[in-house]
Amino acid sequence: MKKAVIIGVGMTPVGEHWKTSLRDLAVEALLNAMDDANLDKVDSLYVGNMISGPFVEQENLGALIADWAGLGHIPAVKIEAACASGGAAVQEGAKAVMSGLEDVVAVVGVEKMTDAWPSDATRYLAYASDAEWELFHGASFVALNALVMRYYMHTYGYTEEDLALFAVNAHINGAKNPYAMFKKPIKVETVLRSPYIADPLKLFDASPVCDGAAAVIITTPEKAKELGIPKEKWVEIAGMGRAIDTINLANRKDLLRLKAAEVAAERAYKMAGIEAKDVDLFEVHDAFTIMAALSLEAVGAAERGKGAELAKEGQIAIDGDYPIQTMGGLKSRGHPVGATGVYQTVEAALQLRGEAPNQVPDAEIALTQNIGGTGSNITVTILRRV
């Protein structure tokens, strides 16, 4: 099996792009990544996207974006794994390179969500849940995560204020990210004063509905050398893991355990030959503050029930032992769902290249964790500085 390295990254700012279409967002990010790698062509394109059909009435995204970017008659396909579509697309692109079937692969994650009415957006996002056993009964993702948050606080004795610390940390970091949707630090009081959207989840416990696109270029070290890409721009995709769990919460054996993330992390660590203690920064999936706590526990950064304790101790800050959401995460940077896993990859790569606006000192290994559904489809990827 060959090795895979990221040699180019690109993004668009996350926000409400009323005057920009999905295809234009995707092509902008893709061309930015190709410019970063000094390339004018790639062998194939993988598009991470969750739900372009209902949101913008457009499918067949591989053909659309490759054509609009002027990439010619290359193979191009959309990868869908709910909110983990971006992370899954990165892994599929990496596997194509590692297999030797393709030399240079582009991966772009894109989502255009703000064109829909808020009520429709809530329903479309719930398509990633169990349609017959959850969506049919009116259970939105907000409601499902609220159930988990309530149970977590009851089981381990945490308060809403404790969980709010994850949002505060994300906004502190996002304030320094020029691509973030929200560039303003907040206080715990800001979170606690925000309105409830599903008790105990408040508005500032949740990531926003937004638009955005991010892209990476992946190749082998041999091809990168042949292309003349300087080694300081290489970031190795050292480990990958992916797993599923029950799609609905009712069938899950333990509501407070992201089993799919545990399995995915174990596989990624094994492939990379490292342990959780070797990771310098964690870009976890904080669509809701409760998911940040559970994710830290699932990837081995914290013991069970201790995820929120890391936030209380300040360990999740840039200068802590377990820095997370170093460029704002889903909460502050924004969560254009199908693009999120690619944004995480770009941000981790920038950290490892020493080019992040909020740099983790001497970062050598990063972990990205992308969640689909309420933990039903999860990717974990280990990136390493070359």
Side-chain angles (χ1 to χ4, degrees):
M1 183 175 67
K2 297 186 177 184
K3 290 186 176 182
V5 293
I6 294 169
I7 58 170
V9 298
M11 294 181 284
T12 68
V14 179
E16 297 179 341
H17 292 285
W18 302 107
K19 297 181 179 180
T20 309
S21 68
L22 178 146
R23 74 178 73 190
D24 288 338
L25 286 170
V27 170
E28 180 182 344
L30 175 57
L31 295 183
N32 285 343
M34 292 178 67
D35 285 345
D36 187 46
N38 195 28
L39 295 176
D40 58 8
K41 62 181 180 180
V42 295
D43 294 331
S44 67
L45 173 67
Y46 294 85
V47 180
N49 175 269
M50 173 180 165
I51 200 160
S52 60
F55 269 118
V56 297
E57 298 183 332
Q58 179 68 64
E59 291 290 4
N60 198 13
L61 294 189
L64 175 79
I65 296 166
D67 173 40
W68 217 244
L71 296 181
H73 302 288
I74 64 169
V77 66
K78 167 180 168 177
I79 305 295
E80 186 275 311
C83 313
S85 298
V90 170
Q91 292 192 356
E92 291 304 311
K95 286 192 288 186
V97 167
M98 290 174 172
S99 71
L101 289 174
E102 296 170 339
D103 287 333
V104 183
V105 164
V107 178
V108 60
V110 62
E111 205 76 63
K112 186 80 167 68
M113 305 164 68
T114 58
D115 289 353
W117 289 104
S119 57
D120 288 337
T122 298
R123 182 172 184 84
Y124 298 158
L125 291 169
Y127 288 175
S129 63
D130 190 319
E132 293 184 19
W133 292 95
E134 293 174 331
L135 177 59
F136 177 80
H137 297 282
S140 67
F141 268 128
V142 176
L144 295 170
N145 278 271
L147 289 170
V148 176
M149 181 172 169
R150 172 67 68 193
Y151 189 37
Y152 186 83
M153 293 193 302
H154 171 77
T155 302
Y156 298 117
Y158 291 115
T159 65
E160 294 176 27
E161 181 175 352
D162 296 331
L163 275 298
L165 294 170
F166 287 104
V168 172
N169 176 74
H171 277 260
I172 289 172
N173 295 339
K176 297 182 179 181
N177 180 6
Y179 292 90
M181 185 172 184
F182 301 124
K183 303 182 185 68
K184 183 178 179 181
I186 62 174
K187 298 179 179 179
V188 170
E189 293 73 21
T190 310
V191 183
L192 297 180
R193 286 199 303 262
S194 64
Y196 284 102
I197 50 178
D199 190 1
L201 274 174
K202 296 164 292 301
L203 183 64
F204 272 78
D205 282 305
S207 56
V209 170
C210 51
D211 313 320
V216 294
I217 308 298
I218 306 172
T219 188
T220 62
E222 294 79 12
K223 188 66 176 180
K225 185 176 181 180
E226 178 186 323
L227 292 169
I229 309 297
K231 271 195 174 183
E232 54 266 25
K233 293 190 73 170
W234 300 9
V235 174
E236 182 188 359
I237 299 176
M240 299 185 295
R242 194 153 86 224
I244 62 101
D245 201 347
T246 65
I247 194 168
N248 67 59
L249 289 180
N251 285 344
R252 203 159 297 173
K253 293 181 179 179
D254 188 342
L255 283 180
L256 302 182
R257 187 177 185 183
L258 294 176
K259 182 63 178 177
E262 293 178 15
V263 173
E266 181 180 352
R267 291 170 178 166
Y269 289 143
K270 182 178 180 180
M271 181 176 174
I274 66 166
E275 300 176 17
K277 63 181 178 61
D278 299 317
V279 177
D280 297 306
L281 63 115
F282 299 80
E283 296 299 338
V284 296
H285 189 103
D286 63 331
F288 302 95
T289 50
I290 179 58
M291 282 297 143
L294 292 178
S295 295
L296 284 170
E297 296 169 19
V299 300
E303 297 177 9
R304 293 211 52 200
K306 299 291 186 180
E309 196 65 34
L310 290 186
K312 292 177 68 176
E313 295 173 353
Q315 298 288 0
I316 62 173
I318 289 292
D319 60 354
D321 290 337
Y322 302 94
I324 71 168
Q325 321 311 80
T326 62
M327 294 175 68
L330 288 63
K331 176 65 189 72
S332 176
R333 177 244 295 134
H335 182 28
V337 287
T340 287
V342 188
Y343 271 100
Q344 291 176 322
T345 306
V346 171
E347 292 161 356
L350 290 173
Q351 286 283 359
L352 299 178
R353 281 164 44 165
E355 300 174 6
N358 203 15
Q359 187 66 47
V360 174
D362 303 317
E364 294 188 4
I365 298 176
L367 177 148
T368 68
Q369 175 241 22
N370 197 192
I371 299 177
T374 48
S376 58
N377 202 334
I378 299 181
T379 70
V380 173
T381 303
I382 306 295
L383 303 177
R384 181 157 47 204
R385 185 173 67 190
V386 175

